[in-house]
Amino acid sequence: MISSVVLQLLASGGLRAVPFGSEALRTDDGQELWIARGSRRPTPSDVEAELRRLEDRPGRVLVTTTAASSGLAKLATAQPRLVVVETLPGAVWVDGVRRQAEPLDPGAETAPRRPRGPRPYSALAIARLLLASPLPRTQTAISASLGVSQAAVSLAFRRLGSLVIHERGGWVAADPGALFDWAVDEYPGAGGIATYWWSDRPLTVQADDASLGTRSLISGDLAADHWNGWRVSEHAVVYAAHGLDPAKYGFAAASPDDYTIEITVPSDPTLWTTAHAFRAGDPVFADPVVASFDVLRTGSTGDQADAVARLREWTLQNLARQRRSNG
């Protein structure tokens, strides 16, 4: 995931950019920076493979690393299309030239986090769909809802195992409480590009402002408050379908250690589908499972587990109410 630290280093090196999607940034002059895949310490061969993969896309290729090896430095010098960010020394390679960036805040993270292995988004989304309603769902209906093949749905059900059962009419949760716990514990995060910002406005106002001009979801504390309010919100978490420049709305760039709002252009394509399955309304809030994950991830007051317990309780009670209503 591209972090705010990378964006700060790019700006310090003369490239001010904001998320354009989950795989690219866009600079002030409209140039696209495509994010290279790989490890925190990519080899020159890794980077050359990414340049080939992205050769048909306009713009440049962005590589992030803790510190560039001599081989990577040589490649950055020879490849003007390549932009390399070194997070530990704080430097940026642009147009074959290494530019030392301004020092970052001591609390800022020093390396981009990169997930390992495929993320089981389909299986996790199916779990959330089955927690949204007690009515059986067929594989065909699930495939259509998530926009994935029926083969992918079959693989996802194998991953879910005994957490789900097939009844007449389709699939349901075998034990909704166990399924909720599994879905929260196994969620790997939404991926994509996350940035951190600060404002002294109320969190609800910040979330609304960050949602202007893009399809968005509000998650974390504010979503928890929507579903089953209890704790005082610490942060706002917003998922945006497209990138935006929060500075235009009065936000100041911040770090993961000191921020009021996190804005992510996610890789997980299922977030909106499961939010609507819970009838999240407008503005749209993330579903209780994703909200629980974000409360646990962003909270610092020690009562996050209690907040998640209340979200779990609401989800199970909501299923019970629907069962009674359906007779």
Side-chain angles (χ1 to χ4, degrees), residues 254-322:
S255 77
D257 290 331
D258 185 17
Y259 70 98
T260 57
I261 185 169
E262 175 193 273
I263 303 173
T264 299
V265 181
S267 296
D268 185 352
T270 70
L271 295 176
W272 279 266
T273 299
T274 57
H276 284 293
F278 278 87
R279 298 174 178 85
D282 186 20
V284 176
F285 292 89
D287 66 69
V289 172
V290 172
S292 294
F293 172 83
D294 285 327
V295 167
L296 291 171
R297 180 177 60 85
T298 62
S300 63
T301 55
D303 56 358
Q304 301 92 283
D306 294 327
V308 171
R310 290 179 68 87
L311 287 169
R312 183 181 190 272
E313 178 185 25
W314 181 90
T315 302
L316 301 187
Q317 290 177 349
N318 183 52
L319 283 172
R321 282 192 296 269
Q322 291 183 67

Short mmCIF file of all heavy atoms in Angstrom, two decimals, residues 254-322:
data_model
loop_
_atom_site.label_atom_id
_atom_site.label_comp_id
_atom_site.label_asym_id
_atom_site.label_seq_id
_atom_site.Cartn_x
_atom_site.Cartn_y
_atom_site.Cartn_z
N ALA A 254 -0.96 14.69 7.06
CA ALA A 254 -0.60 14.18 8.38
C ALA A 254 0.10 12.83 8.23
O ALA A 254 0.35 12.36 7.11
CB ALA A 254 -1.83 14.06 9.27
N SER A 255 0.41 12.20 9.35
CA SER A 255 1.07 10.90 9.35
C SER A 255 0.16 9.87 10.01
O SER A 255 -0.81 10.22 10.69
CB SER A 255 2.39 10.98 10.12
OG SER A 255 2.14 10.99 11.52
N PRO A 256 0.45 8.58 9.85
CA PRO A 256 -0.37 7.55 10.48
C PRO A 256 -0.38 7.62 12.01
O PRO A 256 -1.23 7.02 12.65
CB PRO A 256 0.27 6.24 10.00
CG PRO A 256 0.98 6.60 8.76
CD PRO A 256 1.49 7.98 8.98
N ASP A 257 0.59 8.34 12.60
CA ASP A 257 0.64 8.45 14.06
C ASP A 257 -0.12 9.65 14.60
O ASP A 257 -0.32 9.76 15.81
CB ASP A 257 2.10 8.53 14.52
CG ASP A 257 2.84 7.22 14.33
OD1 ASP A 257 2.17 6.17 14.40
OD2 ASP A 257 4.05 7.24 14.10
N ASP A 258 -0.51 10.57 13.73
CA ASP A 258 -1.19 11.78 14.20
C ASP A 258 -2.08 12.30 13.08
O ASP A 258 -1.64 13.08 12.24
CB ASP A 258 -0.16 12.84 14.63
CG ASP A 258 -0.82 14.08 15.23
OD1 ASP A 258 -2.01 13.99 15.60
OD2 ASP A 258 -0.15 15.13 15.30
N TYR A 259 -3.32 11.85 13.07
CA TYR A 259 -4.25 12.24 12.02
C TYR A 259 -5.67 12.24 12.56
O TYR A 259 -5.94 11.69 13.64
CB TYR A 259 -4.14 11.26 10.84
CG TYR A 259 -4.69 9.87 11.14
CD1 TYR A 259 -5.98 9.51 10.75
CD2 TYR A 259 -3.93 8.93 11.82
CE1 TYR A 259 -6.49 8.25 11.04
CE2 TYR A 259 -4.43 7.67 12.11
CZ TYR A 259 -5.71 7.33 11.71
OH TYR A 259 -6.21 6.09 12.01
N THR A 260 -6.56 12.87 11.82
CA THR A 260 -7.98 12.81 12.19
C THR A 260 -8.80 12.01 11.19
O THR A 260 -9.85 11.48 11.55
CB THR A 260 -8.57 14.23 12.30
OG1 THR A 260 -8.38 14.93 11.06
CG2 THR A 260 -7.91 15.00 13.44
N ILE A 261 -8.31 11.92 9.95
CA ILE A 261 -9.06 11.17 8.93
C ILE A 261 -8.11 10.39 8.03
O ILE A 261 -7.05 10.90 7.66
CB ILE A 261 -9.96 12.11 8.09
CG1 ILE A 261 -10.83 11.31 7.11
CG2 ILE A 261 -9.14 13.17 7.37
CD1 ILE A 261 -11.92 12.14 6.46
N GLU A 262 -8.48 9.18 7.74
CA GLU A 262 -7.77 8.32 6.80
C GLU A 262 -8.64 8.16 5.57
O GLU A 262 -9.82 7.82 5.68
CB GLU A 262 -7.49 6.95 7.42
CG GLU A 262 -6.85 5.94 6.47
CD GLU A 262 -6.88 4.54 7.04
OE1 GLU A 262 -5.95 4.18 7.76
OE2 GLU A 262 -7.86 3.80 6.76
N ILE A 263 -8.07 8.42 4.40
CA ILE A 263 -8.81 8.30 3.14
C ILE A 263 -8.11 7.26 2.27
O ILE A 263 -6.91 7.39 1.99
CB ILE A 263 -8.89 9.64 2.40
CG1 ILE A 263 -9.53 10.71 3.30
CG2 ILE A 263 -9.69 9.50 1.11
CD1 ILE A 263 -9.50 12.10 2.72
N THR A 264 -8.83 6.23 1.88
CA THR A 264 -8.25 5.12 1.12
C THR A 264 -9.00 4.90 -0.19
O THR A 264 -10.23 4.86 -0.20
CB THR A 264 -8.29 3.82 1.95
OG1 THR A 264 -7.54 3.99 3.14
CG2 THR A 264 -7.72 2.64 1.16
N VAL A 265 -8.26 4.77 -1.27
CA VAL A 265 -8.81 4.27 -2.53
C VAL A 265 -8.52 2.77 -2.52
O VAL A 265 -7.38 2.35 -2.70
CB VAL A 265 -8.15 4.94 -3.75
CG1 VAL A 265 -8.76 4.41 -5.04
CG2 VAL A 265 -8.33 6.46 -3.67
N PRO A 266 -9.53 1.93 -2.22
CA PRO A 266 -9.27 0.53 -1.92
C PRO A 266 -9.10 -0.37 -3.14
O PRO A 266 -9.60 -0.07 -4.23
CB PRO A 266 -10.53 0.11 -1.14
CG PRO A 266 -11.61 0.95 -1.76
CD PRO A 266 -10.95 2.27 -2.09
N SER A 267 -8.41 -1.49 -2.90
CA SER A 267 -8.33 -2.55 -3.91
C SER A 267 -9.51 -3.51 -3.80
O SER A 267 -9.86 -4.17 -4.78
CB SER A 267 -7.03 -3.34 -3.74
OG SER A 267 -5.90 -2.53 -3.98
N ASP A 268 -10.09 -3.60 -2.62
CA ASP A 268 -11.22 -4.51 -2.40
C ASP A 268 -12.44 -3.99 -3.15
O ASP A 268 -13.00 -2.95 -2.80
CB ASP A 268 -11.52 -4.61 -0.90
CG ASP A 268 -12.61 -5.63 -0.59
OD1 ASP A 268 -13.24 -6.16 -1.54
OD2 ASP A 268 -12.84 -5.90 0.61
N PRO A 269 -12.90 -4.71 -4.20
CA PRO A 269 -14.03 -4.22 -4.99
C PRO A 269 -15.38 -4.53 -4.38
O PRO A 269 -16.42 -4.13 -4.93
CB PRO A 269 -13.85 -4.97 -6.31
CG PRO A 269 -13.26 -6.28 -5.90
CD PRO A 269 -12.35 -5.97 -4.73
N THR A 270 -15.41 -5.24 -3.25
CA THR A 270 -16.68 -5.72 -2.70
C THR A 270 -17.27 -4.80 -1.63
O THR A 270 -18.38 -5.05 -1.16
CB THR A 270 -16.51 -7.12 -2.09
OG1 THR A 270 -15.70 -7.03 -0.89
CG2 THR A 270 -15.83 -8.08 -3.06
N LEU A 271 -16.55 -3.77 -1.22
CA LEU A 271 -16.98 -2.97 -0.07
C LEU A 271 -18.35 -2.35 -0.27
O LEU A 271 -19.18 -2.33 0.65
CB LEU A 271 -15.95 -1.88 0.21
CG LEU A 271 -14.56 -2.35 0.66
CD1 LEU A 271 -13.62 -1.16 0.81
CD2 LEU A 271 -14.65 -3.11 1.98
N TRP A 272 -18.61 -1.81 -1.46
CA TRP A 272 -19.89 -1.14 -1.70
C TRP A 272 -21.03 -2.15 -1.78
O TRP A 272 -22.14 -1.88 -1.31
CB TRP A 272 -19.81 -0.31 -2.97
CG TRP A 272 -19.15 1.02 -2.74
CD1 TRP A 272 -19.76 2.21 -2.46
CD2 TRP A 272 -17.74 1.29 -2.74
NE1 TRP A 272 -18.81 3.20 -2.28
CE2 TRP A 272 -17.56 2.67 -2.46
CE3 TRP A 272 -16.61 0.52 -2.97
CZ2 TRP A 272 -16.31 3.29 -2.39
CZ3 TRP A 272 -15.36 1.13 -2.90
CH2 TRP A 272 -15.22 2.49 -2.61
N THR A 273 -20.78 -3.32 -2.34
CA THR A 273 -21.83 -4.33 -2.46
C THR A 273 -22.32 -4.77 -1.09
O THR A 273 -23.54 -4.84 -0.84
CB THR A 273 -21.31 -5.55 -3.24
OG1 THR A 273 -20.93 -5.14 -4.56
CG2 THR A 273 -22.38 -6.63 -3.34
N THR A 274 -21.41 -5.05 -0.17
CA THR A 274 -21.83 -5.52 1.15
C THR A 274 -22.40 -4.39 2.00
O THR A 274 -23.29 -4.62 2.83
CB THR A 274 -20.68 -6.22 1.89
OG1 THR A 274 -19.57 -5.32 2.00
CG2 THR A 274 -20.23 -7.47 1.13
N ALA A 275 -21.93 -3.16 1.78
CA ALA A 275 -22.53 -2.03 2.49
C ALA A 275 -24.00 -1.88 2.11
O ALA A 275 -24.88 -1.71 2.97
CB ALA A 275 -21.76 -0.74 2.19
N HIS A 276 -24.30 -1.96 0.82
CA HIS A 276 -25.68 -1.82 0.37
C HIS A 276 -26.53 -3.01 0.81
O HIS A 276 -27.75 -2.87 1.02
CB HIS A 276 -25.73 -1.66 -1.15
CG HIS A 276 -25.33 -0.29 -1.61
ND1 HIS A 276 -26.09 0.84 -1.35
CD2 HIS A 276 -24.24 0.14 -2.30
CE1 HIS A 276 -25.50 1.90 -1.87
NE2 HIS A 276 -24.37 1.51 -2.44
N ALA A 277 -25.91 -4.18 0.96
CA ALA A 277 -26.66 -5.35 1.43
C ALA A 277 -27.21 -5.12 2.83
O ALA A 277 -28.25 -5.67 3.20
CB ALA A 277 -25.77 -6.59 1.41
N PHE A 278 -26.51 -4.31 3.62
CA PHE A 278 -26.98 -3.98 4.97
C PHE A 278 -27.87 -2.75 4.97
O PHE A 278 -28.18 -2.21 6.03
CB PHE A 278 -25.78 -3.74 5.89
CG PHE A 278 -25.18 -5.00 6.45
CD1 PHE A 278 -24.20 -5.68 5.75
CD2 PHE A 278 -25.60 -5.51 7.67
CE1 PHE A 278 -23.63 -6.84 6.26
CE2 PHE A 278 -25.04 -6.66 8.19
CZ PHE A 278 -24.06 -7.34 7.49
N ARG A 279 -28.26 -2.27 3.78
CA ARG A 279 -29.11 -1.09 3.65
C ARG A 279 -28.50 0.09 4.41
O ARG A 279 -29.10 0.68 5.31
CB ARG A 279 -30.52 -1.39 4.18
CG ARG A 279 -31.23 -2.48 3.39
CD ARG A 279 -32.56 -2.86 4.02
NE ARG A 279 -33.24 -3.87 3.23
CZ ARG A 279 -33.01 -5.17 3.33
NH1 ARG A 279 -32.10 -5.60 4.18
NH2 ARG A 279 -33.67 -6.03 2.59
N ALA A 280 -27.27 0.40 4.01
CA ALA A 280 -26.49 1.37 4.77
C ALA A 280 -26.97 2.81 4.61
O ALA A 280 -26.56 3.68 5.35
CB ALA A 280 -25.02 1.30 4.33
N GLY A 281 -27.86 3.07 3.66
CA GLY A 281 -28.41 4.42 3.54
C GLY A 281 -27.48 5.38 2.83
O GLY A 281 -26.52 5.00 2.19
N ASP A 282 -27.79 6.66 2.96
CA ASP A 282 -27.03 7.72 2.30
C ASP A 282 -26.81 8.84 3.31
O ASP A 282 -27.77 9.42 3.79
CB ASP A 282 -27.79 8.23 1.09
CG ASP A 282 -27.00 9.22 0.26
OD1 ASP A 282 -25.76 9.23 0.39
OD2 ASP A 282 -27.62 9.97 -0.51
N PRO A 283 -25.59 9.20 3.71
CA PRO A 283 -24.35 8.67 3.17
C PRO A 283 -24.16 7.19 3.48
O PRO A 283 -24.71 6.68 4.45
CB PRO A 283 -23.27 9.50 3.88
CG PRO A 283 -23.90 9.91 5.16
CD PRO A 283 -25.35 10.13 4.82
N VAL A 284 -23.43 6.52 2.65
CA VAL A 284 -23.27 5.08 2.78
C VAL A 284 -22.19 4.76 3.80
O VAL A 284 -21.09 5.28 3.74
CB VAL A 284 -22.93 4.45 1.41
CG1 VAL A 284 -22.68 2.97 1.56
CG2 VAL A 284 -24.07 4.68 0.43
N PHE A 285 -22.53 3.89 4.72
CA PHE A 285 -21.58 3.43 5.73
C PHE A 285 -21.11 2.02 5.39
O PHE A 285 -21.87 1.21 4.85
CB PHE A 285 -22.23 3.43 7.12
CG PHE A 285 -22.54 4.81 7.62
CD1 PHE A 285 -23.76 5.41 7.35
CD2 PHE A 285 -21.61 5.51 8.37
CE1 PHE A 285 -24.05 6.69 7.80
CE2 PHE A 285 -21.89 6.79 8.83
CZ PHE A 285 -23.11 7.38 8.54
N ALA A 286 -19.87 1.72 5.72
CA ALA A 286 -19.35 0.37 5.55
C ALA A 286 -20.16 -0.60 6.40
O ALA A 286 -20.74 -0.22 7.43
CB ALA A 286 -17.88 0.32 5.93
N ASP A 287 -20.20 -1.86 5.97
CA ASP A 287 -20.96 -2.85 6.73
C ASP A 287 -20.34 -3.08 8.10
O ASP A 287 -19.18 -2.69 8.34
CB ASP A 287 -21.04 -4.16 5.94
CG ASP A 287 -19.71 -4.84 5.77
OD1 ASP A 287 -19.15 -5.33 6.77
OD2 ASP A 287 -19.21 -4.90 4.63
N PRO A 288 -21.08 -3.69 9.04
CA PRO A 288 -20.57 -3.84 10.42
C PRO A 288 -19.28 -4.64 10.54
O PRO A 288 -18.51 -4.41 11.47
CB PRO A 288 -21.73 -4.54 11.14
CG PRO A 288 -22.95 -4.16 10.36
CD PRO A 288 -22.49 -4.09 8.93
N VAL A 289 -19.04 -5.58 9.63
CA VAL A 289 -17.81 -6.37 9.71
C VAL A 289 -16.60 -5.50 9.34
O VAL A 289 -15.60 -5.47 10.07
CB VAL A 289 -17.90 -7.60 8.79
CG1 VAL A 289 -16.54 -8.31 8.72
CG2 VAL A 289 -18.97 -8.56 9.28
N VAL A 290 -16.69 -4.81 8.23
CA VAL A 290 -15.59 -3.93 7.82
C VAL A 290 -15.40 -2.81 8.84
O VAL A 290 -14.27 -2.44 9.19
CB VAL A 290 -15.84 -3.37 6.41
CG1 VAL A 290 -14.80 -2.31 6.05
CG2 VAL A 290 -15.81 -4.50 5.38
N ALA A 291 -16.52 -2.27 9.34
CA ALA A 291 -16.43 -1.24 10.37
C ALA A 291 -15.71 -1.78 11.61
O ALA A 291 -14.88 -1.07 12.21
CB ALA A 291 -17.82 -0.74 10.75
N SER A 292 -15.98 -3.02 11.99
CA SER A 292 -15.32 -3.63 13.15
C SER A 292 -13.83 -3.74 12.93
O SER A 292 -13.02 -3.42 13.81
CB SER A 292 -15.91 -5.02 13.41
OG SER A 292 -17.25 -4.95 13.81
N PHE A 293 -13.45 -4.20 11.74
CA PHE A 293 -12.02 -4.30 11.42
C PHE A 293 -11.35 -2.95 11.55
O PHE A 293 -10.26 -2.83 12.12
CB PHE A 293 -11.86 -4.85 9.99
CG PHE A 293 -10.45 -4.81 9.49
CD1 PHE A 293 -9.54 -5.80 9.81
CD2 PHE A 293 -10.01 -3.75 8.69
CE1 PHE A 293 -8.23 -5.76 9.36
CE2 PHE A 293 -8.71 -3.69 8.23
CZ PHE A 293 -7.82 -4.70 8.56
N ASP A 294 -11.98 -1.90 11.04
CA ASP A 294 -11.37 -0.58 11.08
C ASP A 294 -11.36 0.01 12.48
O ASP A 294 -10.43 0.75 12.83
CB ASP A 294 -12.09 0.35 10.10
CG ASP A 294 -11.72 0.07 8.66
OD1 ASP A 294 -10.56 -0.32 8.41
OD2 ASP A 294 -12.57 0.24 7.76
N VAL A 295 -12.36 -0.28 13.30
CA VAL A 295 -12.34 0.16 14.69
C VAL A 295 -11.15 -0.47 15.42
O VAL A 295 -10.40 0.21 16.14
CB VAL A 295 -13.66 -0.18 15.41
CG1 VAL A 295 -13.53 -0.02 16.92
CG2 VAL A 295 -14.79 0.71 14.90
N LEU A 296 -10.96 -1.76 15.24
CA LEU A 296 -9.84 -2.45 15.89
C LEU A 296 -8.50 -1.93 15.38
O LEU A 296 -7.54 -1.80 16.14
CB LEU A 296 -9.93 -3.96 15.63
CG LEU A 296 -11.08 -4.70 16.30
CD1 LEU A 296 -11.18 -6.13 15.78
CD2 LEU A 296 -10.91 -4.71 17.82
N ARG A 297 -8.45 -1.58 14.10
CA ARG A 297 -7.20 -1.15 13.47
C ARG A 297 -6.81 0.27 13.86
O ARG A 297 -5.63 0.58 14.01
CB ARG A 297 -7.36 -1.26 11.95
CG ARG A 297 -6.17 -0.85 11.13
CD ARG A 297 -6.44 -1.09 9.65
NE ARG A 297 -7.59 -0.35 9.16
CZ ARG A 297 -7.53 0.91 8.73
NH1 ARG A 297 -6.38 1.56 8.74
NH2 ARG A 297 -8.61 1.53 8.29
N THR A 298 -7.79 1.14 14.03
CA THR A 298 -7.49 2.56 14.23
C THR A 298 -7.66 3.02 15.68
O THR A 298 -7.19 4.10 16.03
CB THR A 298 -8.39 3.43 13.34
OG1 THR A 298 -9.76 3.23 13.70
CG2 THR A 298 -8.19 3.08 11.87
N GLY A 299 -8.31 2.22 16.51
CA GLY A 299 -8.60 2.65 17.87
C GLY A 299 -7.37 2.64 18.77
O GLY A 299 -6.42 1.88 18.55
N SER A 300 -7.40 3.48 19.80
CA SER A 300 -6.26 3.54 20.73
C SER A 300 -6.69 3.71 22.18
O SER A 300 -5.84 3.80 23.06
CB SER A 300 -5.34 4.72 20.35
OG SER A 300 -6.03 5.95 20.46
N THR A 301 -7.99 3.71 22.44
CA THR A 301 -8.47 4.00 23.79
C THR A 301 -8.67 2.74 24.65
O THR A 301 -8.97 2.85 25.83
CB THR A 301 -9.79 4.78 23.74
OG1 THR A 301 -10.74 4.05 22.95
CG2 THR A 301 -9.58 6.16 23.13
N GLY A 302 -8.51 1.56 24.04
CA GLY A 302 -8.61 0.33 24.81
C GLY A 302 -10.00 -0.28 24.86
O GLY A 302 -10.17 -1.39 25.39
N ASP A 303 -11.00 0.40 24.31
CA ASP A 303 -12.37 -0.14 24.35
C ASP A 303 -12.85 -0.58 22.97
O ASP A 303 -14.05 -0.74 22.74
CB ASP A 303 -13.34 0.89 24.94
CG ASP A 303 -13.32 2.22 24.17
OD1 ASP A 303 -12.53 2.34 23.22
OD2 ASP A 303 -14.11 3.11 24.54
N GLN A 304 -11.90 -0.80 22.06
CA GLN A 304 -12.26 -1.19 20.70
C GLN A 304 -12.99 -2.53 20.68
O GLN A 304 -13.96 -2.71 19.93
CB GLN A 304 -11.03 -1.28 19.80
CG GLN A 304 -10.23 0.00 19.67
CD GLN A 304 -9.11 0.08 20.69
OE1 GLN A 304 -9.37 0.37 21.86
NE2 GLN A 304 -7.89 -0.17 20.27
N ALA A 305 -12.53 -3.49 21.48
CA ALA A 305 -13.15 -4.82 21.49
C ALA A 305 -14.60 -4.73 21.95
O ALA A 305 -15.47 -5.46 21.45
CB ALA A 305 -12.35 -5.76 22.38
N ASP A 306 -14.87 -3.84 22.91
CA ASP A 306 -16.26 -3.65 23.38
C ASP A 306 -17.13 -3.09 22.25
O ASP A 306 -18.29 -3.47 22.09
CB ASP A 306 -16.29 -2.71 24.57
CG ASP A 306 -15.60 -3.31 25.80
OD1 ASP A 306 -15.67 -4.55 25.96
OD2 ASP A 306 -15.01 -2.56 26.58
N ALA A 307 -16.56 -2.16 21.48
CA ALA A 307 -17.31 -1.58 20.36
C ALA A 307 -17.62 -2.65 19.31
O ALA A 307 -18.73 -2.70 18.77
CB ALA A 307 -16.51 -0.44 19.74
N VAL A 308 -16.64 -3.53 19.04
CA VAL A 308 -16.86 -4.61 18.08
C VAL A 308 -17.90 -5.59 18.61
O VAL A 308 -18.74 -6.09 17.85
CB VAL A 308 -15.54 -5.32 17.76
CG1 VAL A 308 -15.78 -6.59 16.94
CG2 VAL A 308 -14.60 -4.38 17.02
N ALA A 309 -17.91 -5.85 19.90
CA ALA A 309 -18.91 -6.74 20.49
C ALA A 309 -20.32 -6.18 20.27
O ALA A 309 -21.27 -6.94 20.02
CB ALA A 309 -18.63 -6.93 21.98
N ARG A 310 -20.46 -4.87 20.34
CA ARG A 310 -21.77 -4.26 20.11
C ARG A 310 -22.17 -4.34 18.64
O ARG A 310 -23.35 -4.53 18.32
CB ARG A 310 -21.75 -2.80 20.59
CG ARG A 310 -21.68 -2.67 22.12
CD ARG A 310 -21.65 -1.21 22.53
NE ARG A 310 -22.91 -0.54 22.25
CZ ARG A 310 -23.96 -0.50 23.07
NH1 ARG A 310 -23.90 -1.13 24.23
NH2 ARG A 310 -25.05 0.16 22.74
N LEU A 311 -21.20 -4.22 17.75
CA LEU A 311 -21.50 -4.38 16.33
C LEU A 311 -21.90 -5.83 16.03
O LEU A 311 -22.82 -6.08 15.23
CB LEU A 311 -20.29 -3.99 15.49
CG LEU A 311 -19.99 -2.49 15.41
CD1 LEU A 311 -18.63 -2.25 14.79
CD2 LEU A 311 -21.07 -1.77 14.62
N ARG A 312 -21.23 -6.76 16.65
CA ARG A 312 -21.57 -8.18 16.50
C ARG A 312 -22.98 -8.43 17.02
O ARG A 312 -23.80 -9.11 16.37
CB ARG A 312 -20.56 -9.03 17.26
CG ARG A 312 -20.74 -10.54 17.13
CD ARG A 312 -19.66 -11.22 17.98
NE ARG A 312 -19.58 -12.64 17.77
CZ ARG A 312 -20.29 -13.55 18.44
NH1 ARG A 312 -21.18 -13.16 19.34
NH2 ARG A 312 -20.13 -14.84 18.19
N GLU A 313 -23.28 -7.87 18.19
CA GLU A 313 -24.61 -8.04 18.78
C GLU A 313 -25.69 -7.47 17.86
O GLU A 313 -26.72 -8.10 17.64
CB GLU A 313 -24.64 -7.33 20.14
CG GLU A 313 -26.00 -7.38 20.84
CD GLU A 313 -26.00 -6.56 22.12
OE1 GLU A 313 -25.19 -5.62 22.23
OE2 GLU A 313 -26.84 -6.84 22.99
N TRP A 314 -25.43 -6.28 17.30
CA TRP A 314 -26.42 -5.67 16.40
C TRP A 314 -26.63 -6.54 15.18
O TRP A 314 -27.77 -6.74 14.72
CB TRP A 314 -25.94 -4.28 15.96
CG TRP A 314 -26.94 -3.62 15.06
CD1 TRP A 314 -27.98 -2.81 15.41
CD2 TRP A 314 -27.02 -3.77 13.62
NE1 TRP A 314 -28.69 -2.43 14.30
CE2 TRP A 314 -28.12 -3.00 13.19
CE3 TRP A 314 -26.26 -4.45 12.68
CZ2 TRP A 314 -28.49 -2.92 11.85
CZ3 TRP A 314 -26.63 -4.38 11.34
CH2 TRP A 314 -27.73 -3.62 10.94
N THR A 315 -25.56 -7.08 14.61
CA THR A 315 -25.66 -7.90 13.41
C THR A 315 -26.51 -9.15 13.66
O THR A 315 -27.39 -9.50 12.86
CB THR A 315 -24.26 -8.32 12.92
OG1 THR A 315 -23.49 -7.13 12.65
CG2 THR A 315 -24.34 -9.16 11.65
N LEU A 316 -26.27 -9.82 14.78
CA LEU A 316 -27.04 -11.03 15.11
C LEU A 316 -28.50 -10.69 15.40
O LEU A 316 -29.41 -11.43 15.00
CB LEU A 316 -26.40 -11.75 16.30
CG LEU A 316 -24.94 -12.19 16.12
CD1 LEU A 316 -24.49 -13.03 17.31
CD2 LEU A 316 -24.75 -12.95 14.82
N GLN A 317 -28.74 -9.58 16.09
CA GLN A 317 -30.11 -9.17 16.37
C GLN A 317 -30.84 -8.77 15.09
O GLN A 317 -32.04 -9.04 14.93
CB GLN A 317 -30.12 -8.02 17.36
CG GLN A 317 -29.72 -8.41 18.77
CD GLN A 317 -29.67 -7.23 19.72
OE1 GLN A 317 -29.74 -6.07 19.30
NE2 GLN A 317 -29.54 -7.50 21.01
N ASN A 318 -30.12 -8.15 14.16
CA ASN A 318 -30.72 -7.77 12.88
C ASN A 318 -31.14 -9.01 12.10
O ASN A 318 -32.22 -9.03 11.48
CB ASN A 318 -29.71 -6.95 12.08
CG ASN A 318 -30.28 -6.46 10.77
OD1 ASN A 318 -31.35 -5.85 10.72
ND2 ASN A 318 -29.58 -6.74 9.68
N LEU A 319 -30.31 -10.05 12.11
CA LEU A 319 -30.69 -11.30 11.46
C LEU A 319 -31.94 -11.91 12.12
O LEU A 319 -32.85 -12.39 11.43
CB LEU A 319 -29.53 -12.29 11.54
CG LEU A 319 -28.36 -12.09 10.57
CD1 LEU A 319 -27.22 -13.03 10.91
CD2 LEU A 319 -28.81 -12.29 9.12
N ALA A 320 -31.96 -11.87 13.45
CA ALA A 320 -33.12 -12.44 14.17
C ALA A 320 -34.40 -11.66 13.85
O ALA A 320 -35.47 -12.24 13.67
CB ALA A 320 -32.84 -12.42 15.68
N ARG A 321 -34.30 -10.33 13.78
CA ARG A 321 -35.48 -9.52 13.44
C ARG A 321 -36.00 -9.86 12.05
O ARG A 321 -37.21 -9.96 11.83
CB ARG A 321 -35.12 -8.03 13.50
CG ARG A 321 -35.04 -7.45 14.91
CD ARG A 321 -34.98 -5.93 14.87
NE ARG A 321 -33.76 -5.46 14.22
CZ ARG A 321 -32.62 -5.19 14.85
NH1 ARG A 321 -32.56 -5.37 16.17
NH2 ARG A 321 -31.57 -4.73 14.21
N GLN A 322 -35.09 -10.05 11.11
CA GLN A 322 -35.52 -10.38 9.76
C GLN A 322 -36.16 -11.76 9.70
O GLN A 322 -37.14 -11.96 8.97
CB GLN A 322 -34.31 -10.33 8.81
CG GLN A 322 -33.77 -8.92 8.58
CD GLN A 322 -32.63 -8.92 7.60
OE1 GLN A 322 -32.82 -9.21 6.40
NE2 GLN A 322 -31.42 -8.62 8.06
#
